[in-house]
Amino acid sequence: MRVGWRDVVAVGCAVGAAVFWGIDLAFWQPLTERSGELVLFSYAENNTYWARDLRFCAVVAIVLAVLLAGRGGRLARWAALAVGAAWIGADLLLNRSDVRGDVAAVVLSVAAAAAALAAILVVRRRTRGDEPDHRPLVLGAAVSAALAPLVAGIESPTDTEAALTPAAVTLGALLTVLTLGLALAAAPDLETMHRVTTGVVAVAAAGGLTLARVLEPGSQLGSMMLLGTVQLTGVALLTGAVPRGALAWLKQLPKLLVPLVLYPALVLFIVLITAYLVPVPSWFTALGGNVPVNAADSDTLYALTGVVTGLLIGWLFLIMERALVVRQAVDAPRTVAAVAHS
């Protein structure tokens, strides 16, 4: 079986995210459960479960890696969903079992890496020779692009945990690699414009991820939104055909402006909805056997926010892309007729 760059990216990101998940569950999750407030008052506060947020984002990365390995095909989509559901279920059960320590970290990391690699290999073998499926790859790239900045800005109640900053930067970088891999896999053709855009997004992501951790806690929102806008704009450019001429670029402008307007608004809206109206994060807190968050604070799940935001923006990209193709098809006969008449 021939190994291409997509396979390398998929395997590397899946195994890396799986090892990250195992270390998080065994080492960092117990840190969130030993804070003095939980012991004395039996409640949690904002960002108490930062380790869970990172871990669930790592599961999303594994799902996206499976999707990339299968070129977005039907088998890859179903396998990715099955892997994600099974992984979240295992996470909740292991969290309730209170696994921790060096031995648990090694066992979990090795088992998780083996499971992720097995899923990638099975999907890759079954989809060998298949053409990339454009729509799922665009949606996956948008999800990864929307999630990476949220990972970079994850905080804790004290922001003194030594592992938080390197963990957030590492996972944010891994999601950025997946963003570029999925977007390039969805590209009709790889041209110079795609390579330039890839380089610009990579450099901007490196700066944005660093800035989000260097700034004081609570002041990273601007850099996070800017990073998300840049990455989603990169997805819009990479997943479509390169415009030819000034008029073609002008027609692409609405698609390129979508992230600038929608990304910050959707992130805020979904956080508010899931924190208060449909408290999905609180349900996962209860299922994991963790202390509930104080009613005065809010329980959040950044993985959910990133996934929903990315899917909505990704679908909008596809709708606008389709509308542009239809418009070009309508205009083409008129152009031919005009040439013939002249």
Side-chain angles (χ1 to χ4, degrees):
M1 181 171 61
R2 182 186 175 192
V3 177
W5 66 266
R6 298 179 187 87
D7 304 311
V8 174
V9 171
V11 170
C13 290
V15 172
V19 172
F20 184 101
W21 174 85
I23 294 172
D24 184 313
L25 186 59
F27 284 141
W28 304 333
Q29 179 65 30
L31 293 178
T32 68
E33 299 171 353
R34 287 204 295 260
S35 62
E37 290 82 0
L38 297 185
V39 175
L40 293 176
F41 304 108
S42 296
Y43 69 81
E45 55 185 311
N46 287 329
N47 304 311
T48 291
Y49 298 118
W50 57 269
R52 178 196 65 184
D53 286 343
L54 286 171
R55 204 163 58 250
F56 279 24
C57 291
V59 173
V60 174
I62 296 169
V63 169
L64 294 175
V66 173
L67 185 69
L68 176 60
R71 310 299 193 265
R74 176 187 286 270
L75 175 62
R77 296 196 297 271
W78 284 108
L81 290 175
V83 167
W87 215 295
I88 293 296
D91 184 285
L92 293 172
L93 289 174
L94 291 168
N95 191 8
R96 293 187 71 94
S97 301
D98 199 26
V99 296
R100 63 182 65 198
D102 296 344
V103 175
V106 172
V107 172
L108 286 173
S109 297
V110 171
L117 182 60
I120 294 288
L121 293 178
V122 169
V123 168
R124 182 66 186 95
R125 183 175 294 275
R126 294 293 182 87
T127 58
R128 182 174 49 189
D130 292 355
E131 290 296 320
D133 195 331
H134 182 73
R135 289 186 179 183
L137 292 171
V138 172
L139 293 175
V143 166
S144 189
L147 184 57
L150 303 182
V151 169
I154 288 178
E155 302 174 3
S156 72
T158 63
D159 288 302
T160 58
E161 288 79 5
L164 179 52
T165 289
V169 171
T170 299
L171 188 54
L174 193 150
L175 285 164
T176 298
V177 172
L178 278 170
T179 298
L180 295 173
L182 287 160
L184 289 172
D189 294 295
L190 293 182
E191 301 185 27
T192 302
M193 182 64 192
H194 291 96
R195 296 183 178 89
V196 172
T197 301
T198 300
V200 170
V201 172
V203 171
L209 292 172
T210 303
L211 189 61
R213 303 312 307 181
V214 170
L215 293 175
E216 290 293 326
S219 61
Q220 311 111 313
L221 184 60
S223 63
M224 291 164 58
M225 295 302 101
L226 180 59
L227 177 59
T229 299
V230 169
Q231 292 212 27
L232 285 166
T233 303
V235 170
L237 286 171
L238 290 172
T239 56
V242 176
R244 307 296 183 185
L247 182 59
W249 275 105
L250 189 62
K251 291 179 179 180
Q252 290 280 346
L253 193 58
K255 181 181 176 182
L256 301 180
L257 290 177
V258 163
L260 180 63
V261 178
L262 278 188
Y263 182 65
L266 279 176
V267 167
L268 178 60
F269 178 73
I270 294 167
V271 166
L272 292 175
I273 289 293
T274 56
Y276 299 106
L277 294 182
V278 187
V280 178
S282 298
W283 301 342
F284 278 101
T285 299
L287 289 171
N290 300 124
V291 176
V293 172
N294 182 15
D297 294 322
S298 58
D299 200 353
T300 55
L301 194 60
Y302 292 107
L304 177 63
T305 301
V307 168
V308 176
T309 301
L311 286 175
L312 290 174
I313 294 178
W315 274 115
L316 191 54
F317 282 163
L318 291 170
I319 291 170
M320 297 178 74
E321 183 180 285
R322 177 62 178 170
L324 185 60
V325 170
V326 171
R327 180 62 182 171
Q328 289 173 342
V330 170
D331 290 343
R334 298 177 184 174
T335 304
V336 174
V339 172
H341 182 72
S342 62

